[in-house]
Amino acid sequence: MKNRIKECREKKGISQGKLADLCNVSRQTINAIENNKYDPSLQLAFKLAKTLEMTVDHLFCDEEES
């Protein structure tokens, strides 16, 4: 599953560490998600979307949709 987290995070001027703190996860988790090495739980996906002021479907998409 592809995601736009890095793009959205950078537009808001938020570091991986800050996003991790806001979502109560490690910076390594954010890094792994951004690099498509880890798919977040549904709960974390919603937390990321809310924190970045986006919808879940804007942040995540199937490989075929990208």
Side-chain angles (χ1 to χ4, degrees), residues 7-63:
E7 170 189 334
C8 295
R9 175 181 61 75
E10 288 178 344
K11 280 184 183 177
K12 292 204 161 286
I14 299 173
S15 68
Q16 283 184 343
K18 179 65 174 174
L19 181 58
D21 288 344
L22 293 170
C23 294
N24 298 314
V25 297
S26 69
R27 185 199 59 76
Q28 289 86 350
T29 298
I30 299 299
N31 183 274
I33 295 169
E34 286 184 355
N35 289 298
N36 297 306
K37 294 180 180 178
Y38 173 74
D39 287 331
S41 66
L42 188 56
Q43 182 179 10
L44 179 53
F46 275 100
K47 202 179 278 192
L48 288 164
K50 183 176 182 179
T51 302
L52 294 171
E53 299 175 329
M54 300 284 168
T55 60
V56 172
D57 61 331
H58 179 79
L59 284 181
F60 298 93
C61 62
D62 286 336
E63 300 275 340

